Structures are given as structure tokens and as C-alpha cells.
Amino acid sequence: AENRRQLREQLQLTQEPIWLTQVHGTAVYPVREEAEAQPAIPPQADAAVTRLAGVPLTVMTADCLPVLFCDRAGSVVATAHAGWRGLAAGVLEAAALSLNVAPQELLVWLGPAIGPKAFEVGGEVREVFIKDLPQAEAAFVPSINAGRYMADIYELARLRLARCGIEAVYGAGFCTVNDPRFYSYRRSSRTGRFASLVWIETPSS
């Protein structure tokens, strides 16, 4: 609670951010009116979208991939929490669709997540992605451990966004496991979460 208070203070937010109960799914919480911007309890969802100015959308992560969306006009924003399960299930596609904007008008930022040199997965994870999108094979490199692979979650996200027609993708290049600035569940299972936020500025009077 204190960290969230400091966050609001440092960012000079006029409203409490939208905090989600994230469950590695694909549900998108729409903030269409003021009542939805002030939920009594955090909604269970892994993405959120709004066209309301001054409403910060938040995604909490500590190795999973935080993804922020906006349109070029600055009229709509969205967040998505993309662990490998949510990514494979289609959370990025769900978030992109919720913006209701042509793909070429969207800008996407990939925030700090587990890097390709630290994200070791089993062969079953690789198969899930390749079965859905054959090009995903390029995002997996054999590990030194038999039957396991090093996965590039950033490349997997870019491939899925490209399939939606979204090419303006920025960010990436971080590694939460190896960069002490970030929390990492894989590095230390008892850890905090950091927040990635996006909002539409309230027009100045």
C-alpha cells in the first residue's frame, strides 16, 4: 500500500490506477465509464482498455511480459500481462482487439521481462507455440539441458502481434532475472512485483 501511495505521488496521478487480479488468462477489463474506473475490488483480468483520460491502467510483473498499447492519435490505451500461458492463449490478441483500432494505427511497448538467456522451458511449451504459429520455432534455442529450450518471450510477442498486423513494436531487450533493477520470481521466489502503467493525459485547461 505504501509503495502504491508513493507511485501515485511520484507520478502525480489524480486517480487510483486500475489494479487487476491477474490469472494468466485473456480477459480484458474495459473502463468505459467512471464507475468502472473505481472498482470496489480489483477485477480478475490480464488486460485492460480505456478511452477515458486520466485513468492509469496497470500491469504487475516479475518475469512475465508487461505490454502497453496505444493508438497513434492518443485516444485509447490498453495493458496486457503476458506470461507464457497468457501469451499462448492469446492475451495480446485480445488486448489489441479491445482497442477497436486498425492494426497499423497501433503502437506497442514491450516492458521488462525474463530474457532469452534466462528463460528455460520444457519441450511442451515450445510445442504449444509452434502448433499455433510455426514461425515461433525461431524463438526457441536448445538448452544445455536435454529436452529443454531457451525461449525468447519478446520474439514470441512480436510474432503474435505481427500476425495481428501490428508492426510498430518497441521496447524489449531487458532481462528481469539478470538486471537487479527489477523484481524476478525466477531469481527469488519471495519477491515483489513492479508496475508498468499507461494512461491518456487529461487535456490542460
Side-chain angles (χ1 to χ4, degrees), residues 69-76 101-108 166-170:
F69 297 77
C70 72
D71 67 336
R72 294 179 186 275
S75 65
V76 61
V101 173
Q104 62 270 23
E105 292 300 314
L106 292 179
L107 305 175
V108 178
I166 302 171
E167 300 288 349
V169 181
Y170 304 93

Side-chain angles (χ1 to χ4, degrees), residues 26-42:
T26 61
V28 181
Y29 178 66
V31 185
R32 296 159 296 201
E33 55 191 40
E34 201 60 37
E36 291 169 327
Q38 299 177 5
I41 58 173

Side-chain angles (χ1 to χ4, degrees), residues 54-55 57 66 72 90 93 112 156 168 182 186-187 200-203:
V55 178
L57 304 181
R72 294 179 186 275
E93 292 89 334
L156 290 169
F182 305 115
R186 188 163 289 212
R187 186 177 67 233
I200 300 169
E201 288 282 2
T202 303

Side-chain angles (χ1 to χ4, degrees), residues 110-153:
L110 306 178
I114 188 169
K117 293 183 179 180
F119 192 22
E120 187 179 51
V121 300
E124 73 283 356
V125 174
R126 176 176 176 270
E127 288 305 313
V128 166
F129 282 99
I130 294 175
K131 184 178 179 180
D132 180 54
L133 189 65
Q135 300 96 309
E137 185 174 2
F140 294 90
V141 175
S143 165
I144 58 172
N145 299 311
R148 297 185 67 78
Y149 296 84
M150 306 308 294
D152 187 340
I153 199 168

Side-chain angles (χ1 to χ4, degrees), residues 18-20 22 46-47 57-61 64-68 79-82 193-198:
I18 301 294
W19 304 102
L20 302 175
Q22 299 168 180
D46 285 87
L57 304 181
T58 308
V59 59
M60 301 284 285
T61 54
C64 291
L65 176 63
V67 184
L68 307 182
T79 57
H81 162 246
R193 301 290 184 270
F194 62 88
S196 299
L197 298 88
V198 63

